[in-house]
mmCIF file of all heavy atoms in Angstrom:
data_model
loop_
_atom_site.group_PDB
_atom_site.id
_atom_site.type_symbol
_atom_site.label_atom_id
_atom_site.label_comp_id
_atom_site.label_asym_id
_atom_site.label_seq_id
_atom_site.Cartn_x
_atom_site.Cartn_y
_atom_site.Cartn_z
ATOM 1 N N VAL A 156 28.781 34.334 6.881
ATOM 2 C CA VAL A 156 29.595 34.733 5.603
ATOM 3 C C VAL A 156 30.999 34.647 6.037
ATOM 4 O O VAL A 156 31.778 34.210 5.168
ATOM 5 C CB VAL A 156 29.141 36.187 5.119
ATOM 6 C CG1 VAL A 156 30.081 36.726 4.149
ATOM 7 C CG2 VAL A 156 27.645 36.091 4.647
ATOM 8 N N LYS A 157 31.344 35.099 7.071
ATOM 9 C CA LYS A 157 32.861 35.242 7.499
ATOM 10 C C LYS A 157 33.221 33.708 7.690
ATOM 11 O O LYS A 157 34.465 33.387 7.261
ATOM 12 C CB LYS A 157 33.087 35.951 8.788
ATOM 13 C CG LYS A 157 32.756 37.503 8.813
ATOM 14 C CD LYS A 157 32.946 37.907 10.288
ATOM 15 C CE LYS A 157 32.313 39.356 10.398
ATOM 16 N NZ LYS A 157 32.263 39.661 11.774
ATOM 17 N N ASN A 158 32.495 32.920 8.293
ATOM 18 C CA ASN A 158 32.898 31.550 8.542
ATOM 19 C C ASN A 158 33.071 30.821 7.210
ATOM 20 O O ASN A 158 34.000 29.928 7.066
ATOM 21 C CB ASN A 158 31.824 30.761 9.233
ATOM 22 C CG ASN A 158 31.779 31.155 10.745
ATOM 23 O OD1 ASN A 158 32.748 31.734 11.223
ATOM 24 N ND2 ASN A 158 30.782 30.707 11.551
ATOM 25 N N VAL A 159 32.236 31.079 6.236
ATOM 26 C CA VAL A 159 32.407 30.475 4.860
ATOM 27 C C VAL A 159 33.766 30.933 4.319
ATOM 28 O O VAL A 159 34.714 30.236 3.809
ATOM 29 C CB VAL A 159 31.233 30.903 3.841
ATOM 30 C CG1 VAL A 159 31.569 30.321 2.493
ATOM 31 C CG2 VAL A 159 29.920 30.320 4.379
ATOM 32 N N GLY A 160 33.985 32.235 4.338
ATOM 33 C CA GLY A 160 35.222 32.784 3.871
ATOM 34 C C GLY A 160 36.475 32.357 4.517
ATOM 35 O O GLY A 160 37.492 32.264 3.808
ATOM 36 N N ASN A 161 36.384 31.877 5.769
ATOM 37 C CA ASN A 161 37.601 31.573 6.460
ATOM 38 C C ASN A 161 37.774 29.968 6.359
ATOM 39 O O ASN A 161 38.731 29.420 6.753
ATOM 40 C CB ASN A 161 37.436 31.821 7.935
ATOM 41 C CG ASN A 161 37.802 33.238 8.175
ATOM 42 O OD1 ASN A 161 38.876 33.728 7.688
ATOM 43 N ND2 ASN A 161 37.018 34.044 8.862
ATOM 44 N N THR A 162 37.012 29.224 5.644
ATOM 45 C CA THR A 162 37.168 27.833 5.404
ATOM 46 C C THR A 162 38.371 27.566 4.616
ATOM 47 O O THR A 162 38.674 28.530 3.684
ATOM 48 C CB THR A 162 36.007 27.126 4.796
ATOM 49 O OG1 THR A 162 35.769 27.748 3.513
ATOM 50 C CG2 THR A 162 34.693 27.209 5.671
ATOM 51 N N THR A 163 39.000 26.528 4.712
ATOM 52 C CA THR A 163 40.316 26.249 3.764
ATOM 53 C C THR A 163 39.702 26.070 2.478
ATOM 54 O O THR A 163 40.431 26.497 1.515
ATOM 55 C CB THR A 163 40.887 24.908 4.237
ATOM 56 O OG1 THR A 163 39.808 23.892 4.237
ATOM 57 C CG2 THR A 163 41.517 24.921 5.578
ATOM 58 N N ILE A 164 38.468 25.725 2.101
ATOM 59 C CA ILE A 164 37.959 25.583 0.803
ATOM 60 C C ILE A 164 37.939 26.834 0.103
ATOM 61 O O ILE A 164 38.434 26.947 -0.967
ATOM 62 C CB ILE A 164 36.506 24.999 0.945
ATOM 63 C CG1 ILE A 164 36.576 23.506 1.571
ATOM 64 C CG2 ILE A 164 35.873 24.774 -0.453
ATOM 65 C CD1 ILE A 164 35.304 23.151 2.384
ATOM 66 N N ILE A 165 37.420 27.913 0.803
ATOM 67 C CA ILE A 165 37.283 29.182 0.131
ATOM 68 C C ILE A 165 38.694 29.855 -0.013
ATOM 69 O O ILE A 165 39.120 30.462 -0.938
ATOM 70 C CB ILE A 165 36.252 30.074 0.836
ATOM 71 C CG1 ILE A 165 34.965 29.528 0.667
ATOM 72 C CG2 ILE A 165 36.349 31.482 0.247
ATOM 73 C CD1 ILE A 165 34.349 29.379 -0.678
ATOM 74 N N GLN A 166 39.463 29.781 1.114
ATOM 75 C CA GLN A 166 40.834 30.414 1.105
ATOM 76 C C GLN A 166 41.679 29.779 -0.076
ATOM 77 O O GLN A 166 42.344 30.526 -0.814
ATOM 78 C CB GLN A 166 41.446 30.124 2.428
ATOM 79 C CG GLN A 166 40.844 30.747 3.678
ATOM 80 C CD GLN A 166 41.172 32.349 3.579
ATOM 81 O OE1 GLN A 166 42.233 32.628 3.301
ATOM 82 N NE2 GLN A 166 40.238 33.145 3.978
ATOM 83 N N GLU A 167 41.521 28.437 -0.199
ATOM 84 C CA GLU A 167 42.278 27.921 -1.327
ATOM 85 C C GLU A 167 41.832 28.232 -2.701
ATOM 86 O O GLU A 167 42.611 28.344 -3.584
ATOM 87 C CB GLU A 167 42.397 26.307 -1.174
ATOM 88 C CG GLU A 167 43.240 25.828 0.016
ATOM 89 C CD GLU A 167 42.962 24.398 0.477
ATOM 90 O OE1 GLU A 167 42.270 23.675 -0.321
ATOM 91 O OE2 GLU A 167 43.543 23.877 1.458
ATOM 92 N N ALA A 168 40.417 28.365 -2.799
ATOM 93 C CA ALA A 168 39.898 28.773 -4.047
ATOM 94 C C ALA A 168 40.362 30.124 -4.473
ATOM 95 O O ALA A 168 40.760 30.371 -5.602
ATOM 96 C CB ALA A 168 38.371 28.719 -3.918
ATOM 97 N N TRP A 169 40.379 31.106 -3.491
ATOM 98 C CA TRP A 169 40.929 32.374 -3.785
ATOM 99 C C TRP A 169 42.369 32.453 -4.033
ATOM 100 O O TRP A 169 42.824 33.130 -4.995
ATOM 101 C CB TRP A 169 40.564 33.382 -2.568
ATOM 102 C CG TRP A 169 39.063 33.808 -2.483
ATOM 103 C CD1 TRP A 169 38.225 33.804 -3.448
ATOM 104 C CD2 TRP A 169 38.465 34.204 -1.320
ATOM 105 N NE1 TRP A 169 36.991 34.244 -2.958
ATOM 106 C CE2 TRP A 169 37.143 34.483 -1.680
ATOM 107 C CE3 TRP A 169 38.858 34.414 0.018
ATOM 108 C CZ2 TRP A 169 36.225 35.035 -0.706
ATOM 109 C CZ3 TRP A 169 37.934 34.910 0.902
ATOM 110 C CH2 TRP A 169 36.658 35.208 0.554
ATOM 111 N N GLN A 170 43.128 31.586 -3.464
ATOM 112 C CA GLN A 170 44.565 31.481 -3.712
ATOM 113 C C GLN A 170 44.824 31.093 -5.102
ATOM 114 O O GLN A 170 45.870 31.473 -5.755
ATOM 115 C CB GLN A 170 45.331 30.511 -2.752
ATOM 116 C CG GLN A 170 45.791 31.164 -1.526
ATOM 117 C CD GLN A 170 46.176 30.171 -0.393
ATOM 118 O OE1 GLN A 170 46.462 29.125 -0.769
ATOM 119 N NE2 GLN A 170 46.031 30.614 0.798
ATOM 120 N N ARG A 171 44.001 30.160 -5.609
ATOM 121 C CA ARG A 171 44.256 29.811 -7.106
ATOM 122 C C ARG A 171 43.405 30.655 -8.076
ATOM 123 O O ARG A 171 43.358 30.304 -9.243
ATOM 124 C CB ARG A 171 43.944 28.324 -7.371
ATOM 125 C CG ARG A 171 42.507 27.845 -7.041
ATOM 126 C CD ARG A 171 42.284 26.381 -7.281
ATOM 127 N NE ARG A 171 40.886 26.147 -6.957
ATOM 128 C CZ ARG A 171 40.620 25.510 -5.725
ATOM 129 N NH1 ARG A 171 41.383 25.233 -4.769
ATOM 130 N NH2 ARG A 171 39.193 25.280 -5.547
#
Side-chain angles (χ1 to χ4, degrees):
V156 167
K157 294 178 197 170
N158 286 349
V159 174
N161 280 312
T162 60
T163 54
I164 299 154
I165 296 298
Q166 291 287 320
E167 287 167 11
W169 285 338
Q170 269 166 28
R171 60 178 179 263

